[in-house]
Amino acid sequence: MTADRPLRADAQRKRDALLATAREVFDSGGFFDLRFDDFARLAGVGTGTLYRHFPTREALAEAVYHGEIAAMCDRIRRLRAEMPAAEALATFLRGMVDHMKAHEGLARTLSTLMATRSDALAEGSRALEDAVTDLVAAAVREGTVRADVDAGAVMMVLHGIGAAHNRPGWRAEADDVITLVLDGLRRPV
């Protein structure tokens, strides 16, 4: 399989089934409880198919991670197309807290598994930061967000919220932090 040749439809379905299965297992927090070959059985494909698409557990985790990042970047673009940039930014940030809460197992699994794969994490983080940068810049151009704050600060807040997910009352505190950030980003009138 080459990177520039698309997969046959049946191969793409099997790859998608493996990714969906991995994501479900990640969400449940049971990723480390399974043998790698079990992903093939759960997805309804052969082990050869698993290894052809994802030769290692890390390769499977990386593909799930990149899928998550792509979905977040797409969400940012859709929100930006549907509403003013400041509103899109607020909706995205609040949605990220919802996403973190709904997929705690996924976040823990990916961060544990990929802790040593800094290149993969860095590439995904850059893609997401680029999308957030575009959104913040659009809000600055609209005159609704201060020009002296960049997307790096917004990303730092999201990382901090994610890192604190084990705190009691995490969800309410995360919502409060997003409110503080949005208030702080607002351009003074």
Side-chain angles (χ1 to χ4, degrees), residues 23 30 52 88 90 101 106 108 115 163 186:
R23 193 173 190 293
R52 190 168 29 262
K101 180 64 179 165
L106 174 67
R108 276 194 304 276
R186 192 172 299 118

Side-chain angles (χ1 to χ4, degrees), residues 23-29 68 72 94-108 161-162 165 170-171 174-175:
R23 193 173 190 293
E24 287 173 20
V25 171
F26 285 13
D27 270 346
S28 73
E68 285 293 303
M72 288 178 207
R94 294 197 186 284
M96 280 298 295
V97 172
D98 292 338
H99 184 82
M100 288 177 198
K101 180 64 179 165
H103 303 289
E104 289 178 39
L106 174 67
R108 276 194 304 276
I161 289 171
H165 73 276
W170 172 87
R171 177 53 203 237
D175 287 335

Side-chain angles (χ1 to χ4, degrees), residues 25-32 61 104-114:
V25 171
F26 285 13
D27 270 346
S28 73
F31 185 75
F32 297 106
E104 289 178 39
L106 174 67
R108 276 194 304 276
T109 301
L110 288 175
S111 66
T112 299
L113 190 61
M114 299 184 65

